[in-house]
Amino acid sequence: MQVSHTLAAVPVVFDDPNLIASAGLVPVMRLAERCGLSRLVTEKVKLTGAKNGAGASADAKVTGIVAGMAAGADSIDDLHILRHGAMPAVFTGIRAPSTLGTFLRAFTHGHALQLHAVHRRFLAELATHSPLLPGSGEKAFIDVDSTHKRVYGRAKQGAEYGRFKGIRTLHPLLATICTPHSRPVIAGVRMRRGKAADSRGAPKFVSEALATAAEAGCTGTRILRADSQFYNAGVIAACRRAGSHFSITTGMNPSVKRAIHSIPDQAWQQITYPTAVPDPETGELISDAEVAEIPAYTAFASRKKSERVTARLIVRRVRDLAKPTVVGDQGELFPVWRHHPFFTDNPAQTLQAEREHRHHAVVEQVIADSKAGALAHLPSGHFNANAAWLTLWAMTYNLLRATGALTSAFHAKATTATLRTHLVHVPARTARSARRITLHLPHNWPWQHAWTHLFDTVHGPAG
């Protein structure tokens, strides 16, 4: 494909006041309205004591930031994307980026907690108004993980040298919810200092995530999955209090090593993966492994009796390709294995429990999505402003997931980037007639039928 005219024959003028670049924001923000986003912000977010009127019209400012993030903004300045062409004719209450930045910098820790409450209720409303978590009445998985986000400004509050040598980071914690039939949505997020331990505040955070999952319709079996940083008595106790199961990687501590060495050779079962999976330590693709189970393993045996937990220890072992095998005259004598144990009370069969635990890696998709979108930057020098930005990204992410779920089976599992390309970044020309605004969208838009179905659904009678 090449340009059909010379430069002289294609003059460029930015002068049309009737065009908008992201017509897909119309059904997206209509869905946010139906789920009560503005109402929830008005009820719960009270920026008392904020100067310069920063706390005024919090509902308009939150919805503006969410709309900007849905359109692809990853910094405060990028929120200017909402102020072009005919956007003021289609939307009301659009604020300048400087106003939105002032609003974010007015947040304190208490205000950030108020925004968390909005996120929690908004997710429940999204699940009510869309097939966001199909099958959640039978089984749902709550995945907890943390990530490090590199920052460069030396004045950023909370940015510290932590896990990565010479790199200043902030250290968000997040929890997601998914079912065997859905992509994950975000149950909760917390912003933390760069040097914060992965498990800091984890028991309380897990309790809130499990409660959020229940509010979002996860009334069946709930299984919390996490890696070894969250293997502690507090997290498991939080699961037990919430009536949830757990599936947590243990790491290779001395007690677990002794338990693994006690497993007889005949107890190992062969498992073949439908597609090769990368080994978490070497990156090598593996298709085969062996799995065994210790049905009654007591964790935290050195702690007081009330904190000890007895459940299943399931171990997956794969050949250690980094170490040569010991070979004798009769062939291989001592194969070298690497073991990957996890502690669980999942009632499923051994191999199924292992597959379900391995699927915990789905949370990494959400983390990757965040860093390719609104969390490409943490835009403020104020810690609580970045904490609010993180929560607003989580709300936007869930809103786009609900948008995809209402659109089609394909879009229900599409990435956020695909949702923006197909549904949000649709240019349109506005035309006024008889007190109505008509949106004229591109002829032969490849996803016309999906977009029209979404538009009709969110503008139709409430279900």
Short mmCIF file of all heavy atoms in Angstrom, two decimals, residues 130-134 181-185 365 397-398 400-416 418-419 422-423 450:
data_model
loop_
_atom_site.label_atom_id
_atom_site.label_comp_id
_atom_site.label_asym_id
_atom_site.label_seq_id
_atom_site.Cartn_x
_atom_site.Cartn_y
_atom_site.Cartn_z
N SER A 130 -23.15 -7.28 33.10
CA SER A 130 -22.50 -7.91 31.96
C SER A 130 -22.04 -9.32 32.35
O SER A 130 -21.84 -9.60 33.53
CB SER A 130 -21.27 -7.09 31.51
OG SER A 130 -20.26 -7.13 32.51
N PRO A 131 -21.85 -10.20 31.36
CA PRO A 131 -21.34 -11.55 31.66
C PRO A 131 -19.83 -11.52 31.87
O PRO A 131 -19.06 -12.14 31.14
CB PRO A 131 -21.72 -12.34 30.40
CG PRO A 131 -21.74 -11.33 29.31
CD PRO A 131 -22.21 -10.04 29.93
N LEU A 132 -19.42 -10.80 32.90
CA LEU A 132 -18.00 -10.54 33.13
C LEU A 132 -17.26 -11.78 33.62
O LEU A 132 -16.10 -12.01 33.24
CB LEU A 132 -17.86 -9.41 34.14
CG LEU A 132 -16.49 -8.81 34.38
CD1 LEU A 132 -15.92 -8.24 33.10
CD2 LEU A 132 -16.57 -7.72 35.45
N LEU A 133 -17.92 -12.59 34.46
CA LEU A 133 -17.28 -13.77 35.06
C LEU A 133 -18.19 -14.98 34.88
O LEU A 133 -18.80 -15.46 35.84
CB LEU A 133 -16.98 -13.52 36.54
CG LEU A 133 -15.93 -12.46 36.86
CD1 LEU A 133 -15.98 -12.06 38.33
CD2 LEU A 133 -14.54 -12.96 36.49
N PRO A 134 -18.32 -15.49 33.66
CA PRO A 134 -19.19 -16.65 33.45
C PRO A 134 -18.71 -17.85 34.24
O PRO A 134 -17.51 -18.14 34.31
CB PRO A 134 -19.08 -16.90 31.94
CG PRO A 134 -17.79 -16.26 31.53
CD PRO A 134 -17.62 -15.07 32.43
N HIS A 181 -13.66 -19.96 32.36
CA HIS A 181 -14.20 -19.53 31.07
C HIS A 181 -13.99 -18.05 30.80
O HIS A 181 -14.55 -17.52 29.84
CB HIS A 181 -15.70 -19.85 31.01
CG HIS A 181 -16.07 -21.22 31.46
ND1 HIS A 181 -15.73 -22.36 30.75
CD2 HIS A 181 -16.71 -21.65 32.58
CE1 HIS A 181 -16.17 -23.42 31.40
NE2 HIS A 181 -16.76 -23.02 32.51
N SER A 182 -13.21 -17.35 31.62
CA SER A 182 -13.10 -15.90 31.44
C SER A 182 -11.67 -15.44 31.62
O SER A 182 -10.84 -16.12 32.24
CB SER A 182 -13.98 -15.18 32.46
OG SER A 182 -13.42 -15.26 33.77
N ARG A 183 -11.40 -14.25 31.08
CA ARG A 183 -10.15 -13.58 31.38
C ARG A 183 -10.24 -12.94 32.76
O ARG A 183 -11.34 -12.69 33.27
CB ARG A 183 -9.85 -12.51 30.32
CG ARG A 183 -9.38 -13.07 28.99
CD ARG A 183 -9.10 -11.95 28.03
NE ARG A 183 -7.96 -11.15 28.44
CZ ARG A 183 -6.71 -11.35 28.04
NH1 ARG A 183 -6.44 -12.36 27.22
NH2 ARG A 183 -5.73 -10.56 28.43
N PRO A 184 -9.11 -12.65 33.38
CA PRO A 184 -9.16 -12.09 34.74
C PRO A 184 -9.62 -10.64 34.76
O PRO A 184 -9.41 -9.88 33.81
CB PRO A 184 -7.71 -12.21 35.22
CG PRO A 184 -6.89 -12.29 33.98
CD PRO A 184 -7.74 -12.96 32.95
N VAL A 185 -10.28 -10.27 35.85
CA VAL A 185 -10.57 -8.88 36.17
C VAL A 185 -9.87 -8.57 37.48
O VAL A 185 -9.41 -9.48 38.18
CB VAL A 185 -12.09 -8.62 36.27
CG1 VAL A 185 -12.76 -8.86 34.93
CG2 VAL A 185 -12.72 -9.50 37.35
N GLN A 365 -0.53 -11.73 32.75
CA GLN A 365 -1.13 -11.05 31.60
C GLN A 365 -1.68 -9.68 32.00
O GLN A 365 -1.56 -8.71 31.26
CB GLN A 365 -2.24 -11.91 31.00
CG GLN A 365 -1.76 -13.23 30.43
CD GLN A 365 -2.93 -14.06 29.89
OE1 GLN A 365 -4.07 -13.63 29.90
NE2 GLN A 365 -2.62 -15.26 29.42
N TYR A 397 -9.66 -0.88 33.59
CA TYR A 397 -9.42 -2.22 33.06
C TYR A 397 -10.69 -3.07 33.17
O TYR A 397 -11.09 -3.74 32.20
CB TYR A 397 -8.27 -2.87 33.84
CG TYR A 397 -7.96 -4.29 33.41
CD1 TYR A 397 -7.03 -4.54 32.41
CD2 TYR A 397 -8.60 -5.37 34.01
CE1 TYR A 397 -6.74 -5.83 32.02
CE2 TYR A 397 -8.32 -6.67 33.60
CZ TYR A 397 -7.39 -6.89 32.62
OH TYR A 397 -7.12 -8.19 32.22
N ASN A 398 -11.33 -3.05 34.33
CA ASN A 398 -12.55 -3.84 34.51
C ASN A 398 -13.67 -3.34 33.60
O ASN A 398 -14.47 -4.15 33.08
CB ASN A 398 -13.00 -3.79 35.97
CG ASN A 398 -12.06 -4.54 36.89
OD1 ASN A 398 -11.26 -5.36 36.45
ND2 ASN A 398 -12.15 -4.28 38.18
N LEU A 400 -13.35 -1.97 30.62
CA LEU A 400 -13.09 -2.46 29.26
C LEU A 400 -13.34 -3.96 29.14
O LEU A 400 -13.82 -4.43 28.11
CB LEU A 400 -11.65 -2.12 28.85
CG LEU A 400 -11.38 -0.63 28.59
CD1 LEU A 400 -9.90 -0.41 28.32
CD2 LEU A 400 -12.22 -0.13 27.41
N ARG A 401 -13.05 -4.71 30.20
CA ARG A 401 -13.33 -6.15 30.17
C ARG A 401 -14.85 -6.38 30.08
O ARG A 401 -15.32 -7.25 29.36
CB ARG A 401 -12.78 -6.83 31.41
CG ARG A 401 -11.27 -6.89 31.46
CD ARG A 401 -10.73 -8.27 31.05
NE ARG A 401 -11.18 -8.73 29.78
CZ ARG A 401 -10.59 -8.47 28.62
NH1 ARG A 401 -9.53 -7.73 28.58
NH2 ARG A 401 -11.06 -8.97 27.48
N ALA A 402 -15.63 -5.60 30.83
CA ALA A 402 -17.09 -5.72 30.75
C ALA A 402 -17.59 -5.30 29.38
O ALA A 402 -18.54 -5.90 28.84
CB ALA A 402 -17.74 -4.87 31.85
N THR A 403 -16.97 -4.28 28.80
CA THR A 403 -17.34 -3.84 27.45
C THR A 403 -17.13 -4.98 26.46
O THR A 403 -18.00 -5.26 25.62
CB THR A 403 -16.49 -2.63 27.05
OG1 THR A 403 -16.74 -1.55 27.96
CG2 THR A 403 -16.82 -2.19 25.64
N GLY A 404 -15.99 -5.64 26.53
CA GLY A 404 -15.73 -6.77 25.64
C GLY A 404 -16.70 -7.91 25.86
O GLY A 404 -17.16 -8.54 24.90
N ALA A 405 -17.05 -8.17 27.12
CA ALA A 405 -17.98 -9.26 27.43
C ALA A 405 -19.36 -9.00 26.84
O ALA A 405 -20.07 -9.94 26.45
CB ALA A 405 -18.08 -9.47 28.94
N LEU A 406 -19.78 -7.73 26.76
CA LEU A 406 -21.07 -7.39 26.19
C LEU A 406 -21.05 -7.37 24.66
O LEU A 406 -22.11 -7.37 24.03
CB LEU A 406 -21.53 -6.01 26.69
CG LEU A 406 -22.02 -5.93 28.14
CD1 LEU A 406 -22.24 -4.49 28.53
CD2 LEU A 406 -23.30 -6.74 28.32
N THR A 407 -19.85 -7.34 24.08
CA THR A 407 -19.75 -7.16 22.63
C THR A 407 -19.85 -8.48 21.87
O THR A 407 -20.70 -8.65 21.00
CB THR A 407 -18.43 -6.45 22.29
OG1 THR A 407 -18.37 -5.19 22.97
CG2 THR A 407 -18.30 -6.21 20.79
N SER A 408 -18.98 -9.42 22.19
CA SER A 408 -18.97 -10.70 21.47
C SER A 408 -18.12 -11.69 22.24
O SER A 408 -17.35 -11.31 23.15
CB SER A 408 -18.41 -10.54 20.05
OG SER A 408 -17.02 -10.24 20.09
N ALA A 409 -18.21 -12.97 21.86
CA ALA A 409 -17.39 -13.99 22.50
C ALA A 409 -15.91 -13.74 22.25
O ALA A 409 -15.06 -13.99 23.11
CB ALA A 409 -17.79 -15.38 22.01
N PHE A 410 -15.58 -13.25 21.05
CA PHE A 410 -14.18 -12.94 20.74
C PHE A 410 -13.67 -11.82 21.63
O PHE A 410 -12.59 -11.91 22.23
CB PHE A 410 -14.03 -12.56 19.28
CG PHE A 410 -12.69 -11.98 18.94
CD1 PHE A 410 -11.59 -12.80 18.73
CD2 PHE A 410 -12.50 -10.59 18.85
CE1 PHE A 410 -10.34 -12.27 18.44
CE2 PHE A 410 -11.26 -10.05 18.57
CZ PHE A 410 -10.18 -10.90 18.36
N HIS A 411 -14.43 -10.72 21.71
CA HIS A 411 -13.97 -9.57 22.48
C HIS A 411 -13.98 -9.83 23.98
O HIS A 411 -13.29 -9.14 24.73
CB HIS A 411 -14.82 -8.35 22.14
CG HIS A 411 -14.60 -7.85 20.74
ND1 HIS A 411 -15.42 -8.19 19.70
CD2 HIS A 411 -13.63 -7.06 20.22
CE1 HIS A 411 -14.99 -7.62 18.59
NE2 HIS A 411 -13.90 -6.93 18.87
N ALA A 412 -14.74 -10.80 24.44
CA ALA A 412 -14.75 -11.13 25.86
C ALA A 412 -13.38 -11.62 26.32
O ALA A 412 -13.03 -11.48 27.50
CB ALA A 412 -15.79 -12.19 26.15
N LYS A 413 -12.59 -12.17 25.40
CA LYS A 413 -11.25 -12.68 25.77
C LYS A 413 -10.13 -11.93 25.06
O LYS A 413 -8.97 -12.32 25.17
CB LYS A 413 -11.17 -14.17 25.46
CG LYS A 413 -12.10 -15.02 26.32
CD LYS A 413 -11.79 -16.50 26.21
CE LYS A 413 -12.64 -17.32 27.18
NZ LYS A 413 -12.32 -18.75 27.15
N ALA A 414 -10.46 -10.86 24.37
CA ALA A 414 -9.44 -10.08 23.67
C ALA A 414 -8.62 -9.26 24.66
O ALA A 414 -9.07 -8.96 25.77
CB ALA A 414 -10.10 -9.17 22.64
N THR A 415 -7.43 -8.87 24.26
CA THR A 415 -6.60 -8.02 25.11
C THR A 415 -7.16 -6.60 25.11
O THR A 415 -7.97 -6.21 24.26
CB THR A 415 -5.16 -7.98 24.60
OG1 THR A 415 -5.14 -7.37 23.29
CG2 THR A 415 -4.58 -9.38 24.51
N THR A 416 -6.71 -5.81 26.07
CA THR A 416 -7.16 -4.43 26.15
C THR A 416 -6.77 -3.65 24.91
O THR A 416 -7.54 -2.82 24.42
CB THR A 416 -6.57 -3.76 27.40
OG1 THR A 416 -6.99 -4.47 28.56
CG2 THR A 416 -7.01 -2.32 27.52
N THR A 418 -6.53 -4.77 21.89
CA THR A 418 -7.47 -5.13 20.83
C THR A 418 -8.82 -4.46 21.03
O THR A 418 -9.44 -3.99 20.07
CB THR A 418 -7.64 -6.66 20.78
OG1 THR A 418 -6.38 -7.27 20.50
CG2 THR A 418 -8.64 -7.07 19.71
N LEU A 419 -9.28 -4.39 22.27
CA LEU A 419 -10.55 -3.72 22.55
C LEU A 419 -10.49 -2.25 22.14
O LEU A 419 -11.45 -1.71 21.57
CB LEU A 419 -10.90 -3.84 24.03
CG LEU A 419 -11.21 -5.26 24.54
CD1 LEU A 419 -11.46 -5.23 26.04
CD2 LEU A 419 -12.41 -5.86 23.82
N HIS A 422 -10.50 -2.13 18.16
CA HIS A 422 -11.77 -2.53 17.52
C HIS A 422 -12.94 -1.65 17.93
O HIS A 422 -13.81 -1.36 17.10
CB HIS A 422 -12.09 -3.97 17.88
CG HIS A 422 -11.18 -4.97 17.26
ND1 HIS A 422 -11.44 -6.33 17.26
CD2 HIS A 422 -10.00 -4.83 16.60
CE1 HIS A 422 -10.47 -6.97 16.66
NE2 HIS A 422 -9.57 -6.09 16.27
N LEU A 423 -12.97 -1.25 19.22
CA LEU A 423 -14.20 -0.67 19.76
C LEU A 423 -14.09 0.78 20.19
O LEU A 423 -15.08 1.51 20.13
CB LEU A 423 -14.67 -1.50 20.97
CG LEU A 423 -14.88 -3.00 20.72
CD1 LEU A 423 -15.27 -3.69 22.02
CD2 LEU A 423 -15.94 -3.24 19.65
N ALA A 450 -20.02 -5.77 15.61
CA ALA A 450 -19.71 -5.89 17.04
C ALA A 450 -19.94 -4.56 17.74
O ALA A 450 -20.52 -4.50 18.84
CB ALA A 450 -18.28 -6.37 17.23
#
